[in-house]
Amino acid sequence: MKRYQVVGIGNAIVDVLSQTDDTFLDHMGITKGIMQLVERERAEVLYAAMTDRTEAPGGSVGNTLAGCGNLGLKTAFIGRVRDDALGRFYAKALQAEGTDFPNPPVPGASLPSSRSMIFVTPDGERSMNTYLGISADLGPDDVPEAVTADTDFLFLEGYLFDKAPGKEAFLKAARSCRSAGGKAGIALSDPFCVDRHRSDFRQLVTELDYVIGNEHEWSSLYETDLDTALDMAAADCPLIVCTRSGSDVIIRAGAQRFNVPVHRVVPVDATGAGDQFAAGFLYGLATGQTLLTAGKMGCVAASEVIAHFGARPEKDVKSLFRAQGLF
């Protein structure tokens, strides 16, 4: 028995959410519906402009681990925060949710803890303005091998692949996990990140056990149409997952292919849909479900999170699995 069922590595970001309208976005020069990186000064301006702020420990993989914890899995998150108010909030909030945080806040760091200002419009679209701060400096020294070697599944966040220390941290973590009998995987996270580091991503995929990405990320990674890209990916990695907007999720495992139907709903807030899909899917893998069932669990978890404000599940997602006959 491993100590953990899922360990994640990613940007330790405090999500700061506020409801707004299109007029405010235009006034502030915010591009609707995407995630964009901002500098420290811009982050302070946007933070000051927010009303009725809701704060939560976030980041893509952080959200996934919260979903895994909601489902009862034993989890840990490896990330980097400063010893400041937001950093201490992040560490305490994560631990309060039942996820271990083995990296203590860094005292005296030059960069503050990371935060993402998320503006949600009435149509459910979220416009994310992320200041990476200290979290983007995570490196191999931040990876405790006693943790990464003691988990069934390791889940990496593609956003952290932007800097050389992050790449080294991923390779160290993946190799320690796999050498101890665990399975390591990644979320591609962003087509622009894939564009910037295509050759390194292609190499990393061949060293992993599973990869999750959306249709744009897979096409970008292999610079071809989706079907061809998935064929190439299936030759490089034992298990690949492709999520598609408003269409079936595709799962490929060697010669096997599964199309997982998606029940379309009008989102209240689309924040965290991909993160919670990953949580449901990883829960399925960690509990020995079939790939088709794991995919369905991912879809149910994603549907739950887009039905309310915020990137973390509010309902008992396991009870939703039971209602869908997935146990």
Side-chain angles (χ1 to χ4, degrees):
M1 291 287 291
K2 300 282 189 179
R3 181 181 177 187
Y4 300 108
Q5 289 162 292
V6 181
V7 167
I9 302 180
N11 280 303
I13 299 174
V14 176
D15 286 341
V16 187
L17 296 100
S18 178
Q19 293 178 315
T20 189
D21 55 27
D22 290 343
T23 301
F24 175 86
L25 298 184
D26 291 340
H27 176 71
M28 297 300 295
I30 297 170
T31 304
K32 184 176 178 178
I34 68 168
M35 192 286 288
Q36 55 187 351
L37 299 178
V38 297
E39 298 299 326
R40 187 171 182 172
E41 183 177 349
R42 171 72 167 165
E44 291 171 352
V45 169
L46 293 177
Y47 184 82
M50 302 182 89
T51 58
D52 298 321
R53 304 183 192 100
T54 300
E55 295 182 351
S60 180
V61 166
N63 290 335
T64 295
L65 289 182
C68 291
N70 174 281
L71 290 163
L73 298 183
K74 295 176 292 183
T75 59
F77 179 76
I78 295 169
R80 189 172 172 85
V81 298
R82 182 182 177 179
D83 189 8
D84 55 18
L86 283 180
R88 292 188 292 272
F89 164 79
Y90 191 96
K92 290 179 181 178
L94 211 66
Q95 291 164 345
E97 293 175 344
T99 295
D100 286 350
F101 189 63
N103 303 75
V106 180
S110 59
L111 295 175
S113 295
S114 309
R115 73 288 310 268
S116 181
M117 281 65 66
I118 304 172
F119 298 91
V120 184
T121 44
D123 58 2
E125 283 286 354
R126 79 275 193 252
S127 306
M128 305 173 67
N129 301 265
T130 303
Y131 171 61
L132 290 178
I134 192 175
S135 70
D137 287 340
L138 183 138
D141 290 344
D142 298 304
V143 176
E145 290 187 279
V147 174
T148 55
D150 204 7
T151 184
D152 295 320
F153 290 90
L154 176 71
F155 190 47
L156 309 172
E157 181 180 310
Y159 289 125
L160 267 181
F161 213 59
D162 251 337
K163 293 186 177 181
K167 296 176 184 178
E168 295 172 19
F170 278 10
L171 289 173
K172 175 183 177 181
R175 288 167 181 168
S176 67
C177 172
R178 299 182 82 194
S179 66
K183 294 185 181 297
I186 193 171
L188 294 177
S189 296
D190 180 69
F192 301 108
C193 187
V194 171
D195 283 340
R196 290 191 294 270
H197 306 282
R198 183 173 290 106
S199 61
D200 288 338
F201 263 117
R202 289 278 298 271
Q203 178 59 40
L204 180 64
V205 166
T206 66
E207 297 194 39
L208 297 175
D209 300 289
Y210 64 96
V211 179
I212 301 174
N214 66 33
E215 54 195 316
H216 307 296
E217 292 155 1
W218 283 117
S219 293
S220 173
L221 183 61
Y222 289 95
E223 297 183 282
T224 186
D225 64 275
L226 181 61
D227 287 339
T228 304
L230 296 183
D231 287 340
M232 297 171 70
D236 285 344
C237 182
L239 175 60
I240 62 167
V241 180
C242 176
T243 59
R244 299 184 292 171
S245 178
S247 188
D248 292 357
V249 173
I250 299 171
I251 300 175
R252 293 281 302 271
Q256 291 184 299
R257 172 175 172 144
F258 304 94
N259 280 56
V260 184
V262 174
H263 176 63
R264 299 186 67 176
V265 297
V266 177
V268 173
D269 173 13
T271 308
D275 304 335
Q276 295 310 316
F277 172 86
F281 184 72
L282 286 170
Y283 175 82
L285 296 184
T287 56
Q289 310 299 321
T290 67
L291 291 177
L292 181 59
T293 297
K296 290 179 179 179
M297 289 176 164
C299 292
V300 170
S303 294
E304 188 280 337
V305 80
I306 67 173
H308 58 77
F309 189 61
R312 304 292 180 93
E314 291 184 350
K315 295 181 179 179
D316 178 0
V317 178
K318 193 179 290 186
S319 69
L320 300 180
F321 292 166
R322 292 192 185 95
Q324 294 292 323
L326 296 179
F327 282 129

